[in-house]
Amino acid sequence: MGGKHTFIDLFCGCGGLSLGFEMAGFECVLAIDNWKDALTTYAYNRKNDVTLCTDLSDLNPQIIKKKYSINNVDLIIGGPPCQGFSVAGKRIMDDERNKLYKSFANFVDVFSPQAFIMENVPNILSIGDGLVRDAIINDFEKLGYMVSVQVLTASDYNVPQNRRRAVFVGIKNGKTFEFPKPNKDIKVTSYEAISDLTEESIQDGSAYPKPVMSPYQEYARKNSQGVFNHEITIHNDKTKRLIAMVPDGGNYKDLPLEFQNTRKVHIAWTRLNSKKPSITIDTGHRHHFHYKWNRIPTVRESARIQSFPDNFIFCGSKTSQYKQVGNAVPPLMANAIANQISYTIWHEKK
C-alpha cells in the first residue's frame, strides 16, 4: 500500500466519491456496485482494477474480507440507495426494504474502519420528522462511532453546480468531525466550467479547440490527453426553436404561453446561467440546456459541471454515460471531505 490510507467504496458508481478521496491521497482497495457500465468506467480510469459487480443487499462482508484478504481498511465510503427510508418509527436496520443500507452498516461493523462516510439525498434528514436520521445515527453510535451529519452544497467546494447532498460522517474513538468550511465567496460559474468547449462535437482524443479561459478549466485540463465524451445531441427543429426562445439562465416561463406546458416538469426548458453555478444536472432527462447553444450539455460538459477532470473518461453508450455522470458525487466536494478526514484523524494537512 506504500503507507497510503485505504478505503472501500460501496455503491461506487463510476467513482466520483472515490476520485475525491484518491485526490487526497487515499487508495481504494475495493469498489462494489451492481451496475456493470459504471464499473467499466471506474476500472478504465484506474491502474488498479479492484471492482466487484454484485448486488450488495445479500453480500456477506466476512466473505469479502477473506476473499480479498482485506484485514485492515481505514475508511468505508458510499451512498446506499434509500427506497425504504420512508418507514418512520421503525428501526430502519430491520426493515426489509433497507437491505442496502443494512449492508453498508454491516460492512462498517465487520471491517471496523477508523471512519465511514455515507452520502444520500437531503430529505433523508427530514423523513418522519428526523426519525430516520436519528435511527441512522443510533445504529452507528452502537458500533462505536461519533456521527456528524450535514447537508453540503457542492458549489461551496469549487464545484460549478448547486447540488445538495446529506453527508453522514462517523469517526471512532470519540473524535468529532467538523465539516469542511464552505467557500461562500467564490463560486465557479457555468461559463467558467465549459466555455472552452465547442458548439459542435469533438472527436475523442482531439486537441483542445480553444485556450484555457478560467482557473477551473486549468484544473479540468491538467494531465489530460485531449477532449473526450464531447458528442453533441442533435435535437429536432421544433425543440431547437423552443430552446432558442429561452434566454441565458431562463426557463419554461420565458416561452410563449402555448408552449409552456409542452413538458410537464417544473425544470423543463431550463438554460444554465452562465454567471452562476449550474442547477443540479440530472441523469439524462434532457431538461437542461447549454447557456448559449440550443442543445443539452454533452457528457463532457456535464462531467465538468460535476467537477470530473477531463482525463476521467466515461465508457458505454451515451445514455449510460449521462446516467453515470448524473448519479455521481462531485469529486471536488468529496475531496474537501477527504482532506478534512485526513486532518481530523491523522492531523495531516493537504
Side-chain angles (χ1 to χ4, degrees):
M1 295 296 161
K4 282 190 173 185
H5 302 304
T6 57
F7 66 89
I8 293 171
D9 190 348
L10 306 175
F11 314 95
C12 64
C14 67
L17 193 56
S18 278
L19 183 60
F21 278 79
E22 289 161 346
M23 287 171 171
F26 288 82
E27 182 172 347
C28 182
V29 292
L30 183 62
I32 307 176
D33 202 280
N34 68 344
W35 187 23
K36 201 169 187 328
D37 280 14
L39 286 178
T40 300
T41 293
Y42 191 104
Y44 183 83
N45 288 283
R46 291 163 173 93
K47 288 189 204 75
N48 308 321
D49 177 8
V50 286
T51 56
L52 171 63
C53 189
T54 189
D55 182 352
L56 268 141
S57 57
D58 296 311
L59 202 58
N60 184 335
Q62 295 282 9
I63 292 170
I64 293 297
K65 192 173 189 176
K66 202 170 172 186
K67 182 180 175 184
Y68 289 88
S69 306
I70 304 171
N71 298 315
N72 192 14
V73 68
D74 292 305
L75 308 177
I76 288 181
I77 67 176
C82 56
Q83 52 270 60
F85 284 166
S86 58
V87 184
K90 279 189 172 185
R91 272 186 48 71
I92 61 171
M93 281 281 272
D94 302 331
D95 188 273
E96 184 59 23
R97 289 172 299 171
N98 286 320
K99 274 184 164 180
L100 295 171
Y101 162 72
K102 192 173 180 178
S103 174
F104 186 96
N106 286 343
F107 264 80
V108 173
D109 188 16
V110 166
F111 284 91
S112 194
Q114 300 256 11
F116 74 84
I117 297 89
M118 188 175 89
E119 61 85 30
N120 221 294
V121 292
N123 73 352
I124 196 171
L125 305 185
S126 54
I127 296 167
D129 289 332
L131 276 168
V132 168
R133 176 199 62 215
D134 295 346
I136 292 171
I137 291 170
N138 188 41
D139 286 334
F140 287 107
E141 280 180 346
K142 284 181 180 166
L143 299 178
Y145 292 86
M146 285 274 287
V147 183
S148 306
V149 61
Q150 197 169 305
V151 174
L152 301 185
T153 301
S155 59
D156 288 340
Y157 303 99
N158 302 319
V159 178
Q161 181 187 190
N162 288 325
R163 178 176 294 242
R164 296 168 75 247
R165 299 300 286 176
V167 182
F168 292 82
V169 177
I171 298 185
K172 265 202 318 210
N173 307 328
K175 284 186 179 173
T176 307
F177 182 74
E178 285 185 22
F179 282 89
K181 286 187 169 54
N183 183 355
K184 299 264 184 206
D185 300 330
I186 300 169
K187 301 288 184 188
V188 182
T189 66
S190 299
Y191 179 86
E192 290 169 319
I194 62 174
S195 57
D196 61 327
L197 298 170
T198 53
E199 183 175 5
E200 300 302 329
S201 297
I202 299 172
Q203 194 172 350
D204 278 355
S206 299
Y208 287 94
K210 296 181 185 178
V212 164
M213 298 180 180
S214 70
Y216 183 84
Q217 290 170 16
E218 214 161 284
Y219 149 76
R221 291 188 186 194
K222 196 178 173 191
N223 303 322
S224 174
Q225 301 302 307
V227 183
F228 292 83
N229 306 120
H230 189 69
E231 182 192 336
I232 70 162
T233 297
I234 312 280
H235 302 285
N236 65 40
D237 288 344
K238 184 191 173 192
T239 300
K240 281 196 276 200
R241 275 199 308 274
L242 285 174
I243 305 168
M245 294 179 195
V246 179
D248 182 342
N251 60 26
Y252 72 95
K253 292 174 186 168
D254 295 296
L255 292 171
L257 272 174
E258 65 266 30
F259 297 124
Q260 286 191 9
N261 291 322
T262 48
R263 296 187 179 186
K264 297 291 185 192
V265 286
H266 72 280
I267 55 165
W269 306 110
T270 301
R271 276 218 197 253
L272 303 182
N273 188 323
S274 63
K275 296 180 175 65
K276 293 179 180 176
S278 166
I279 44 181
T280 302
I281 56 161
D282 56 24
T283 57
H285 298 127
R286 303 160 71 96
H287 295 309
H288 304 150
F289 299 96
H290 194 283
Y291 57 79
K292 181 178 181 184
W293 295 315
N294 300 327
R295 59 165 175 76
I296 60 170
T298 62
V299 170
R300 177 51 54 198
E301 287 165 342
S302 302
R304 285 269 189 97
I305 287 164
Q306 277 278 53
S307 77
F308 280 95
D310 291 356
N311 66 353
F312 194 97
I313 295 165
F314 294 85
C315 309
S317 71
K318 196 162 75 162
T319 303
S320 173
Q321 290 172 19
Y322 273 116
K323 191 176 170 190
Q324 291 170 45
V325 173
N327 283 343
V329 175
L332 284 183
M333 185 171 86
N335 181 244
I337 297 166
N339 285 331
Q340 192 72 2
I341 289 271
S342 281
Y343 179 69
T344 306
I345 300 177
W346 299 287
H347 306 296
E348 294 171 355
K349 278 214 160 167
K350 290 286 186 279

